[in-house]
Amino acid sequence: MSDLNERIEAFYRFLWPFLAADKARYAYLDEPPGGRPASEFLGEIPARRGVGPGSRLVDVGSGKGKQLVELSRRLGCHVIGLDPLDENLELAAERLRKESLQDRVTLLKGSIGKMPLEDASVDFVWCLDMFNHVEDIDGALKECARVLKPGGSMMNCSAVGSDLLEPREAQRVTYRIGINPDTLSPERMAAAYETAGLHVIECGTTTDEGSPFLEEFDEGMAHHALRFGKMLRARSRVTARLGQDAFELLSAYEQWNIFLLIGKLTYCVWVLERVRP
Ligand SMILES: C[S@@+](CC[C@H](N)C(=O)[O-])C[C@H]1O[C@@H](n2cnc3c(N)ncnc32)[C@H](O)[C@@H]1O
């Protein structure tokens, strides 16, 4: 009990003067923590690994094709966009037509577990924000190593859990949005890279101080917390309009983003090299 009293006393001894202080005194707490846009530091990776005109890069899980355009323009190499969903491939095709990049970018339907690409046929495998959907981690990485030329490189940027993330929270937040919770373990990912013959060249999170991949803080992420709070308070009204299923899906999506905002989840960037046989 006395221990508790000491902690209560210490807490208010700090809190009252802190709250009463002139705002300017603690203005540093609201300063942006630094960093750069992710598109900037991620986009630099392939060139650093020697990708340029004449190279072949595959964007696995290319989605609506935003990166296909940026990578093709920045690197001048041939880009392949691979995605399992027809809707995504159609949206990407439309984007490429608008940007007049149809000749420099090829779209393929497929999954990371079985890519419609020859052995040792690409110089760079690009995986941005897709690996958390992968069920068979070892199989997918083995496939990435298979399509890479010896000495070729890969970039994977996917979410990992921090020590603030509780196992039950991880299960709850991942299930509805189709995420494999095993991909949130940096140790599991490190072991799988090793097994696949992909050597880690660079590694860092997008949130840790001093990380080469520190991303600028996006205050807009706070919107997810505000929306989720409002959804919970008006649960029956929102469910009636949205439907139970969509409510649960959106709840998981908002919580995923809140966890990213408060550091229960972060993105990790791995730059890998296919070990030469
Ligand atoms: C969050 S989106 C990211 C899209 C894009 N990479 C970007 O960063 O804008 C995830 C993408 O991964 C794709 N995806 C899901 N499972 C996949 C798999 N097994 N193999 C390849 N792509 C997959 C989805 O269809 C979706 O386009």
Side-chain angles (χ1 to χ4, degrees):
M1 194 61 181
S2 65
D3 187 34
L4 174 65
N5 282 337
E6 274 169 32
R7 278 179 279 135
I8 294 170
E9 200 184 313
F11 174 50
Y12 288 103
R13 208 181 317 124
F14 163 76
L15 189 70
W16 295 147
F18 174 80
L19 294 178
D22 184 336
K23 275 205 170 74
R25 182 159 175 212
Y26 293 109
Y28 64 88
L29 291 174
D30 293 317
E31 277 169 16
R36 295 197 290 152
S39 56
E40 219 175 274
F41 58 73
L42 293 179
E44 290 165 1
I45 295 170
R48 196 154 70 231
R49 301 297 303 160
V51 174
S55 310
R56 270 161 62 90
L57 175 150
V58 60
D59 176 356
V60 184
S62 50
K64 296 186 271 181
K66 186 161 181 265
Q67 309 294 319
L68 297 175
V69 172
E70 285 173 17
L71 290 165
S72 169
R73 291 249 157 85
R74 183 190 270 259
L75 299 163
C77 64
H78 189 81
V79 175
I80 300 155
L82 183 97
D83 204 279
L85 301 181
D86 288 325
E87 308 90 279
N88 288 348
L89 291 167
E90 281 158 26
L91 289 167
E94 200 179 310
R95 191 186 289 251
L96 295 173
R97 267 195 304 277
K98 273 193 195 140
E99 303 282 344
S100 305
L101 283 172
Q102 309 96 303
D103 297 343
R104 283 166 53 186
V105 181
T106 309
L107 290 175
L108 295 175
K109 181 171 171 158
S111 159
I112 193 168
K114 196 171 187 300
M115 293 193 255
L117 294 168
E118 302 282 310
D119 293 359
S121 61
V122 300
D123 301 278
F124 199 95
V125 173
W126 171 275
C127 294
L128 176 57
D129 200 17
M130 63 74 56
F131 207 88
N132 295 114
H133 289 306
V134 168
E135 188 160 22
D136 176 5
I137 299 174
D138 293 302
L141 291 175
K142 206 171 138 199
E143 184 66 353
C144 292
R146 178 188 72 76
V147 303
L148 274 174
K149 294 177 186 170
S153 305
M154 171 171 175
M155 187 283 299
N156 179 33
C157 173
S158 59
V160 293
S162 76
D163 52 2
L164 299 174
L165 184 71
E166 301 296 337
R168 278 190 60 206
E169 288 178 324
Q171 289 295 334
R172 197 182 66 226
V173 80
T174 52
Y175 185 76
R176 287 307 300 262
I177 57 175
I179 280 171
N180 173 3
D182 292 347
T183 61
L184 297 178
S185 161
E187 295 79 20
R188 174 74 182 87
M189 292 300 292
Y193 293 134
E194 186 71 30
T195 307
L198 294 164
H199 180 61
V200 179
I201 305 284
E202 295 173 56
C203 170
T205 74
T206 57
T207 49
D208 283 329
E209 265 183 305
S211 167
F213 305 115
L214 183 66
E215 186 180 10
E216 65 183 358
F217 196 84
D218 177 4
E219 302 223 346
M221 288 290 281
H223 172 67
H224 294 287
L226 296 175
R227 170 175 282 169
F228 187 53
K230 289 175 189 166
M231 281 171 65
L232 287 179
R233 287 188 184 206
R235 187 188 281 258
S236 47
R237 180 167 53 80
V238 174
T239 310
R241 296 190 72 169
L242 207 55
Q244 182 65 33
D245 215 44
F247 182 92
E248 282 170 21
L249 233 150
L250 191 56
S251 293
Y253 171 74
E254 298 299 2
Q255 286 178 79
W256 173 264
N257 283 294
I258 294 166
F259 283 10
L260 284 168
L261 176 72
I262 63 174
K264 282 178 183 274
L265 293 170
T266 181
Y267 277 92
C268 190
V269 181
W270 291 273
V271 181
L272 308 141
E273 185 177 277
R274 184 188 158 189
V275 176
R276 289 171 199 273

